[in-house]
Amino acid sequence: MRLLHFVVSLIIMSFSFASNYPKCVGVYYAENPPLEMFYAFDWIVLDPDAAKETLTKKRLMFEGKRAKLFGYISVGEIEPFREEFKQVKKEWIIGENKYWKSYVADVRNPEYHEFILRKADKVAKLGFDGFFLDTLDSYQIVAKKHEYAEFESGLKAIIRKLKEKYPEKKIILNRGFEIYQNVKDSIDAVLVESFYHKFDLEKKRYVPTTTQDREYLYNLISKINQEKPVIVVDYMDLPKQTKEAKSLLKQISSLGMIPFVSVKDLNVIGISPCTPKPRKALGIFNSKDYKDAEDPYFNNINQLVQPYLEYYGISVDIWDISKGLPPFPMWDRYGLVVYWASTSSVNIRDLENWILENVSHGVKFLFIDNLPSYKPDFLKRLGITLKNTSQSSWMLDYKSEMMNFEIEAKPEFDPIVHISEGVPMLIYTNGSSRYVPIAFTPWGGYALSGTYVRYIIENFFVVNPFLFFKELVKDIKPFAVADPITTENGRRILTVHIDGDGFNQKTQVKGYTYASEVILEEMLKKYRLPTTLGIIEGEVAPHGAYPNDQHKLLEEIVKKTFSLPYVEPATHTFSHPFNYYKVSEQGEEHKGYNLKIPGYKYNFEREILGSVLYVDKLAFPKKTQIVFWTGYCNPTPEEVKFVYEKGFYNINGGNTWIHSEHPFLSLLSPTGVDKEGYYQVYAPVINENVYTQGGLLQYRYANVVKTFQITDKPYRIKPIGIYYHIFSGSTNMFLNALKKVYDWVITQETVPLHTLEYIKKVLDFRVSTFIPLEDGSLMVRNGGFLRTLRIDEDIYIDLVKSKGVVGYKNINGSTYLHLDGSGDYLIVKGKSDAPYVVDANGVVKSYTREGKDIELTIDSHLSLEATFYVPSGCNMKTNGKVNLVENLYKVKFNENIGKISIVCK
């Protein structure tokens, strides 16, 4: 009865701090915290040492609105594994915590206080918003009760000094009940561990806490919970106890506390009201299977799987199994594992156990070309039976409509596999025997050799990958998915970016000397589209590869180009490496892997940082933020990492040039490639060099229009991406092809964006979080750069109940939702008959909705135009010219920015 009384007491508490109340708090102490955590939670507690690389080198990969970050600081104990342990003095150590293999600190010592403040300095420099103070009661392990007051005075002094030094930083205490009343004005929340469930260190298992333990904690937190948020972190055997953990969330929330359930090592995303639905896939390949093993671009998963997973809103990480099995948990971040490797490079039994364990955790698997093991006991666990038989006399008994898409299936009949449960895509029979070479199963599916793709000069798809992955991921993806950066506000995204190659090349076009002059005068000044230009320093500068050129004139052309307000600067490096893996191996001798620059020995830091300084000088006052990869666009993982570490974005690579003469889906690339945790962003569409066969057929760059068309219908899978080199201004044939492309593009309904805007959207696509709610609605959080979701049906959205949804439009039978860029959205299905944006050629800069009334500002790189649905009884006010066309209000503005207000009775 006493426990019931304490539960009821907590339920009826009122919270004066509700307005600043974080709904979701997560704790993660392992290395490389999943980037989606930075948006799913309101607050996150991280180990600063483990998260250091993420916060310094990967910070551009989760830019924009994000959680408040709290850095872990052990106050009452000294951890010998920390780098700062070498600063510890012997007199600060007064005991040992044997369970955690750490030392109890003398928190009374003023010198130790300064040590803690130095630890806080380190945390603050990493960009944390606050501190999480742990081990506050460890003194009780060694101190006598009559000494407690002295230790508590020391703790109070540390916290006061910390708040005095960092008044803007928030502070969370882990327990600290003994000092709470004296420091409550300096702190922002209290965290309590093991309220209902804990990990028993002696028994080494997860167990419920006792009623006595819970009552004890309640007596300590009941008053705190009326003044400060109380965060409860419980420990359960996840993912086995996921169902129980979700039930526990409700129980803790009903007490007015913030719930979080994790495992003892705090190395998973955990369970909270804001835990995202895993929307990532892990692609496993073996680099030893490939001739070009050094670059992940060449693996089949990136080229032949990732584009279709991205279409369904799933981002893809890549793992090379030659390095062993993934060492991190899977179930909390990956909904699907795609295994495409002919050899495993790991112990086969370890691989089997790893797969079976993750299948038991609910992770889906897709095996392509081969099964990872053909041992009967392993296959039996997956519901697959196996037998060897002759290849003769097999007859096709069943073929799914998904099959024989670009080429007919040609499966191998050795060995013969059959499934006991699932959906076959092909069935062959031989008497009473059945052979199923491709199928969906309860745990995912498989497509054996000859049933997914077949290589004949090009890779041809045997199965329709759009239909195949739609079925495979139907239980993984939410009802609204992230658009793979094709659309904004109902219009197709348009980017223009130019590699600087040939800036010093002479031209045949009359009236001009250089190709760069032609591009400036005939293309950029006349079409006035937002454009990004990457300059090769070694091609333009007097200290580069061409010392006899007219460098002053070339540099003046660069300056004039960058002076155009809609041209964005980028670096195309110093010496334009053609092969990044080879050029770094060449030593003193140049072997044709980059421009021959007198006296220059290849140095990647010089390639990037030096060229940025040079471009900045010519582009002043604009600043260079983008690196355009060069040549084969195959930077090493270390080089991609370096670019992020130095604060630059990157693009180029990929091979999207599918068109009507080559309508094969293998000529479609994804948004980029994961290189050991760092993302190389691909160009949306490949440049003119491929279309023209290296410039031999210059007129054929006009075929890129067919690429734009075929990647729009029936599936919108790419934006419009005009991408070419400066040398396209060297001949009239090149120039005329370019003009044809531009002339077609300007007739389309687009949203023109700079390349930097596109890159940020790609990175935001990869970290956006989707949180399905119990009422059927969907919460979406991201950095505010990805602003389009897609629902693959024609439906209504309740705009009044939704949050951050500006409007929607039907495209190709799907509903594209327009988001306001706040980074915090709620999607609710249903009809509200409220006004909304149908489409616009700009980006929403501000948006408010009160009931049906809306006010918004839209900014475009061109003269703004937008279309609105305005129901009867509502009136529009705007500074644009309004025309009513088929019940839609089409508004044109004389300026780039438009303000719109719609008020309903």
Side-chain angles (χ1 to χ4, degrees):
M1 293 298 294
R2 292 172 58 199
L3 180 60
L4 177 62
H5 171 73
F6 116 73
V7 170
V8 173
S9 298
L10 276 177
I11 290 175
I12 63 175
M13 285 182 182
S14 61
F15 303 97
S16 59
F17 51 86
S19 60
N20 296 318
Y21 192 62
K23 181 180 179 181
C24 301
V25 177
V27 184
Y28 193 94
Y29 287 168
E31 292 185 350
N32 297 313
L35 299 184
E36 55 266 40
M37 287 189 71
F38 291 83
Y39 298 107
F41 295 97
D42 302 310
W43 291 359
I44 316 176
V45 178
L46 301 171
D47 183 307
D49 290 337
K52 183 177 180 180
E53 180 171 328
T54 299
L55 297 178
T56 55
K57 300 175 182 179
K58 292 185 178 179
R59 64 188 182 277
L60 297 184
M61 296 171 68
F62 55 95
E63 199 180 359
K65 181 184 181 297
R66 60 174 174 80
K68 298 289 184 184
L69 307 181
F70 292 78
Y72 175 92
I73 298 177
S74 177
V75 176
E77 295 181 19
I78 298 170
E79 300 154 309
F81 61 86
R82 300 285 182 184
E83 182 181 350
E84 59 266 18
F85 182 72
K86 57 189 177 184
Q87 303 173 16
V88 173
K89 295 183 178 181
K90 290 183 179 180
E91 57 265 30
W92 298 350
I93 298 174
I94 58 174
E96 185 178 359
N97 185 333
K98 295 182 179 180
Y99 280 121
W100 297 107
K101 298 179 181 179
S102 58
Y103 301 106
V104 178
D106 187 353
V107 296
R108 302 168 299 182
N109 191 312
E111 283 190 310
Y112 181 71
H113 295 185
E114 295 304 313
F115 173 75
I116 293 296
L117 291 177
R118 289 196 296 273
K119 290 176 69 174
D121 293 341
K122 175 181 173 183
V123 171
K125 288 177 182 177
L126 288 172
F128 281 91
D129 302 288
F131 311 104
F132 173 70
L133 307 183
D134 195 20
T135 62
L136 296 173
D137 56 1
S138 295
Y139 63 91
Q140 297 178 11
I141 297 174
V142 296
K144 297 177 181 179
K145 285 197 173 182
H146 71 270
E147 298 176 312
Y148 282 10
E150 297 176 14
F151 286 92
E152 289 161 9
S153 294
L155 290 170
K156 297 171 193 174
I158 290 172
I159 293 169
R160 291 193 185 108
K161 290 177 182 178
L162 187 61
K163 191 64 177 178
E164 183 178 349
K165 187 169 186 179
Y166 293 103
E168 77 287 357
K169 302 288 186 186
K170 295 181 179 296
I171 296 175
I172 302 173
L173 301 186
N174 189 358
R175 298 199 173 205
F177 304 127
E178 299 81 5
I179 61 172
Y180 169 76
Q181 287 298 328
N182 297 102
V183 299
K184 65 182 182 182
D185 292 338
S186 298
I187 70 165
D188 297 272
V190 172
L191 184 145
V192 177
E193 296 179 88
S194 305
F195 189 71
Y196 282 105
H197 281 262
K198 68 179 182 179
F199 183 78
D200 191 307
L201 293 170
E202 293 182 351
K203 297 179 180 178
K204 295 183 179 180
R205 60 188 177 90
Y206 296 92
V207 298
T209 58
T210 65
T211 299
Q212 185 178 0
D213 289 340
R214 295 171 201 167
E215 289 187 6
Y216 169 75
L217 278 178
Y218 164 66
N219 290 329
L220 294 171
I221 66 175
S222 58
K223 293 182 180 179
I224 296 175
N225 206 25
Q226 298 179 50
E227 299 175 329
K228 301 287 181 181
V230 172
I231 304 157
V232 173
V233 177
D234 271 8
Y235 298 96
M236 301 185 82
D237 189 7
L238 302 177
K240 292 180 181 179
Q241 292 183 294
T242 296
K243 184 177 180 180
E244 295 88 338
K246 291 181 178 179
S247 177
L248 185 58
L249 293 184
K250 296 179 181 179
Q251 196 171 358
I252 295 171
S253 296
S254 70
L255 305 180
M257 296 181 284
I258 305 167
F260 181 69
V261 182
S262 190
V263 297
K264 67 179 180 67
D265 293 328
L266 292 165
N267 65 341
V268 299
I269 293 175
I271 308 296
S272 91
C274 297
T275 295
K277 186 178 181 69
R279 58 168 287 268
K280 293 198 302 184
L282 183 67
I284 294 183
F285 78 109
N286 192 335
S287 59
K288 295 180 180 179
D289 293 342
Y290 298 88
K291 179 181 178 181
D292 298 292
E294 69 271 19
D295 193 352
Y297 163 77
F298 291 101
N299 77 74
N300 286 332
I301 291 171
N302 181 250
Q303 296 187 29
L304 301 172
V305 172
Q306 187 173 332
Y308 314 101
L309 287 173
E310 288 183 339
Y311 179 77
Y312 292 108
I314 295 173
S315 64
V316 180
D317 294 340
I318 300 293
W319 183 263
D320 184 355
I321 202 168
S322 71
K323 299 178 181 179
L325 290 169
F328 40 79
M330 304 291 293
W331 62 269
D332 64 326
R333 61 203 75 180
Y334 294 108
L336 173 68
V337 175
V338 180
Y339 186 99
W340 196 342
S342 61
T343 54
S344 67
S345 295
V346 298
N347 179 277
I348 192 65
R349 182 59 67 185
D350 291 341
L351 176 61
E352 291 174 346
N353 291 337
W354 179 80
I355 291 170
L356 293 172
E357 178 186 27
N358 281 293
V359 166
S360 71
H361 293 166
V363 180
K364 299 286 187 182
F365 276 77
L366 171 65
F367 306 122
I368 300 180
D369 272 5
N370 298 283
L371 297 175
S373 168
Y374 285 91
K375 291 186 176 181
D377 58 336
F378 168 71
L379 295 180
K380 185 178 180 180
R381 299 276 297 276
L382 296 178
I384 298 176
T385 56
L386 171 71
K387 70 176 182 177
N388 295 314
T389 186
S390 66
Q391 297 185 23
S392 61
S393 303
W394 286 98
M395 300 292 292
L396 178 64
D397 186 65
Y398 169 76
K399 176 178 66 69
S400 166
E401 63 179 8
M402 297 184 194
M403 302 306 297
N404 296 353
F405 177 59
E406 291 180 337
I407 195 171
E408 287 190 0
K410 191 176 181 180
E412 298 177 359
F413 290 82
D414 184 25
I416 301 300
V417 300
H418 178 53
I419 55 173
S420 59
E421 185 180 0
V423 180
M425 307 288 288
L426 287 174
I427 300 176
Y428 294 85
T429 58
N430 183 355
S432 61
S433 298
R434 285 161 60 90
Y435 174 41
V436 180
I438 177 172
F440 298 113
T441 67
W443 43 263
Y446 62 88
L448 299 185
S449 180
T451 66
Y452 184 74
V453 293
R454 289 176 56 199
Y455 183 81
I456 304 175
I457 302 177
E458 299 277 1
N459 277 302
F460 295 93
F461 275 91
V462 178
V463 64
N464 183 326
F466 289 104
L467 299 180
F468 182 75
F469 283 104
K470 181 180 181 180
E471 177 68 21
L472 185 70
V473 304
K474 65 182 181 181
D475 297 328
I476 299 172
K477 69 180 186 68
F479 72 80
V481 302
D483 171 67
I485 321 305
T486 70
T487 306
E488 179 131 356
N489 287 330
R491 296 197 177 195
R492 201 169 176 195
I493 289 172
L494 165 65
T495 64
V496 181
H497 88 270
I498 309 173
D499 289 348
D501 308 50
F503 207 92
N504 61 337
Q505 189 168 328
K506 297 294 178 67
T507 183
Q508 299 173 11
V509 179
K510 289 184 179 180
Y512 302 102
T513 304
Y514 291 107
S516 49
E517 292 179 285
V518 175
I519 298 300
L520 171 61
E521 299 296 335
E522 297 294 328
M523 303 308 301
L524 302 184
K525 285 187 176 181
K526 290 184 177 179
Y527 289 94
R528 305 180 67 83
L529 293 174
T531 302
T532 308
L533 169 64
I535 295 297
I536 305 170
E537 179 186 357
E539 194 175 72
V540 177
H543 50 270
Y546 307 100
N548 297 324
D549 281 357
Q550 294 179 289
H551 295 287
K552 288 186 178 181
L553 177 57
L554 291 172
E555 289 182 337
E556 282 303 313
I557 298 171
V558 174
K559 291 178 181 178
K560 288 179 181 178
T561 304
F562 286 141
S563 70
L564 299 176
Y566 44 89
V567 176
E568 178 180 63
T571 176
H572 204 33
T573 75
F574 175 45
S575 70
H576 193 283
F578 303 114
N579 187 320
Y580 286 86
Y581 285 86
K582 298 296 184 182
V583 72
S584 60
E585 299 171 359
Q586 65 178 288
E588 295 290 341
E589 297 182 5
H590 292 277
K591 300 179 181 179
Y593 293 123
N594 61 338
L595 295 178
K596 294 183 179 181
I597 298 176
Y600 175 62
K601 180 181 178 181
Y602 179 78
N603 178 281
F604 186 72
E605 184 171 335
R606 171 65 182 88
E607 291 289 330
I608 304 303
L609 301 185
S611 64
V612 166
L613 290 175
Y614 178 75
V615 175
D616 279 353
K617 181 180 69 173
L618 299 179
F620 183 83
K622 297 176 182 177
K623 302 290 288 184
T624 303
Q625 299 184 63
I626 311 172
V627 173
F628 282 4
W629 300 116
T630 57
Y632 295 157
C633 298
N634 63 338
T636 67
E638 293 75 20
E639 288 166 335
V640 179
K641 178 179 180 179
F642 177 87
V643 167
Y644 278 103
E645 180 181 3
K646 298 304 178 182
F648 299 107
Y649 297 90
N650 77 99
I651 196 170
N652 278 352
N655 193 37
T656 295
W657 68 292
I658 180 174
H659 59 85
S660 56
E661 294 179 17
H662 295 85
F664 312 121
L665 290 185
S666 60
L667 301 179
L668 174 70
S669 292
T671 60
V673 61
D674 169 35
K675 290 193 169 179
E676 298 182 10
Y678 294 86
Y679 203 64
Q680 176 185 344
V681 179
Y682 288 161
V685 177
I686 199 63
N687 58 55
E688 87 285 27
N689 226 21
V690 174
Y691 289 88
T692 63
Q693 297 181 23
L696 296 176
L697 303 170
Q698 298 172 359
Y699 65 92
R700 297 192 69 178
Y701 182 54
N703 279 341
V704 75
V705 169
K706 298 176 182 178
T707 299
F708 300 152
Q709 292 169 332
I710 205 169
T711 54
D712 186 39
K713 297 179 185 300
Y715 301 97
R716 178 170 286 186
I717 49 181
K718 284 290 175 183
I720 294 175
I722 302 177
Y723 172 26
Y724 59 98
H725 298 85
I726 287 292
F727 59 65
S728 288
S730 62
T731 70
N732 284 296
M733 189 176 290
F734 252 147
L735 181 62
N736 290 334
L738 263 185
K739 288 183 176 181
K740 287 181 180 179
V741 174
Y742 274 75
D743 288 340
W744 180 85
V745 166
I746 61 176
T747 67
Q748 306 302 300
E749 291 189 341
T750 64
V751 176
L753 299 176
H754 276 124
T755 303
L756 181 59
E757 295 174 283
Y758 173 78
I759 293 171
K760 289 184 177 183
K761 290 177 185 296
V762 169
L763 297 179
D764 213 21
F765 169 87
R766 292 181 53 76
V767 299
S768 294
T769 63
F770 290 70
I771 306 161
L773 303 180
E774 289 187 351
D775 62 2
S777 59
L778 181 68
M779 184 161 62
V780 181
R781 291 181 171 182
N782 60 29
F785 301 108
L786 182 142
R787 296 177 173 218
T788 300
L789 305 179
R790 192 187 77 248
I791 303 174
D792 286 328
E793 55 180 318
D794 187 4
I795 67 168
Y796 290 105
I797 299 299
D798 190 328
L799 297 166
V800 175
K801 293 181 180 178
S802 295
K803 178 182 178 183
V805 182
V806 177
Y808 54 92
K809 183 179 182 180
N810 183 279
I811 301 172
N812 296 341
S814 294
T815 302
Y816 283 71
L817 309 186
H818 324 326
L819 307 179
D820 66 359
S822 63
D824 192 3
Y825 314 107
L826 179 66
I827 316 302
V828 181
K829 295 180 182 180
K831 192 171 183 179
S832 57
D833 200 32
Y836 61 87
V837 177
V838 176
D839 60 48
N841 70 341
V843 176
V844 174
K845 291 300 182 181
S846 66
Y847 172 75
T848 59
R849 179 183 289 275
E850 293 185 9
K852 292 186 177 182
D853 300 348
I854 61 172
E855 286 190 8
L856 70 158
T857 303
I858 306 177
D859 191 359
S860 175
H861 287 291
L862 306 177
S863 294
L864 178 64
E865 54 185 44
T867 305
F868 297 84
Y869 169 72
V870 182
S872 60
C874 301
N875 295 313
M876 171 187 283
K877 292 182 180 180
T878 178
N879 59 324
K881 183 179 179 181
V882 181
N883 287 310
L884 181 61
V885 180
E886 296 180 353
N887 298 321
L888 295 178
Y889 287 73
K890 293 187 174 292
V891 187
K892 291 191 175 183
F893 300 80
N894 294 325
E895 301 175 349
N896 294 33
I897 299 178
K899 296 181 178 181
I900 303 96
S901 173
I902 302 176
V903 179
C904 302
K905 294 180 181 178

